[in-house]
Amino acid sequence: MKQFFKELFEYSHYYNQKLGAAFMEHHGSIPEKAATLYSHILNAHRIWNNRIDSRQPSFGVWENHPLQDCGEIDKVNYKHSLLILDGFDPDQVVHYTNTRGDAFRNSIRDILFHIINHSTYHRGQIAMVFRQEGLSPLMTDYIFYRR
């Protein structure tokens, strides 16, 4: 299972990097909504990693980042996820509070899957915003990546 999660995080990292490059290429014509969603993907990934690894969140959920910083933020998130995969039992349960202070608990496996699923969902929203603005969206389907 750990190897499969590593492959999923590699896939997500690959397309987050591609997305960052597309944002830089079309810097002047990227709608604010798309840039906000991209920052949100990175922020949520960091927040969830930090919940697993008992670190304080370093970003707000909807905090925006300069586009030139996003690639590095994604690299740090990706490397941290790999360290989590190597150092934690996926069945371990993590107790955490959300941004409203509500207490929850989930297995690391469920949280890791959520990070991937959440990122994929918002990359799909970004693709829709790109289309609405006349930009060609990235094809980020997992099966395309695996081909």
Side-chain angles (χ1 to χ4, degrees):
M1 179 185 352
K2 285 186 177 190
Q3 183 57 38
F4 181 62
F5 271 114
K6 286 180 181 183
E7 291 171 9
L8 289 176
F9 277 103
E10 181 182 290
Y11 148 75
S12 193
H13 172 63
Y14 176 82
Y15 280 119
N16 283 346
Q17 291 293 306
K18 288 277 213 190
L19 192 57
F23 272 77
M24 294 306 289
E25 179 182 336
H26 301 289
H27 184 60
S29 58
I30 296 295
E32 184 178 332
K33 177 158 182 75
T36 297
L37 287 168
Y38 185 45
S39 284
H40 175 67
I41 289 169
L42 303 175
N43 296 339
H45 190 162
R46 176 76 51 94
I47 290 166
W48 283 108
N49 276 348
N50 288 350
R51 285 175 177 163
I52 294 169
D53 203 10
S54 298
R55 298 182 188 176
Q56 291 299 313
S58 54
F59 300 134
V61 175
W62 289 102
E63 182 178 334
N64 284 315
H65 303 287
L67 290 176
Q68 65 270 17
D69 295 347
C70 290
E72 186 59 31
I73 292 168
D74 178 62
K75 286 178 188 175
V76 169
N77 288 345
Y78 172 61
K79 289 177 183 176
H80 191 187
S81 292
L82 294 180
L83 289 172
I84 288 168
L85 282 164
D86 286 337
F88 289 84
D89 176 357
D91 293 323
Q92 178 182 335
V93 173
V94 173
H95 298 264
Y96 61 92
T97 56
N98 66 9
T99 55
R100 291 184 298 269
D102 301 322
F104 295 96
R105 61 188 193 103
N106 290 97
S107 70
I108 290 173
R109 177 187 58 250
D110 289 345
I111 293 170
L112 294 174
F113 182 76
H114 173 71
I115 293 168
I116 298 297
N117 193 52
H118 178 265
S119 299
T120 302
Y121 173 78
H122 286 304
R123 282 193 300 268
Q125 289 181 311
I126 292 168
M128 193 165 68
V129 172
F130 270 44
R131 275 193 197 97
Q132 290 169 345
E133 296 298 318
L135 300 170
S136 295
L138 295 176
M139 298 302 295
T140 62
D141 291 349
Y142 181 73
I143 200 69
F144 294 152
Y145 173 76
R146 293 299 294 180
R147 290 179 183 160

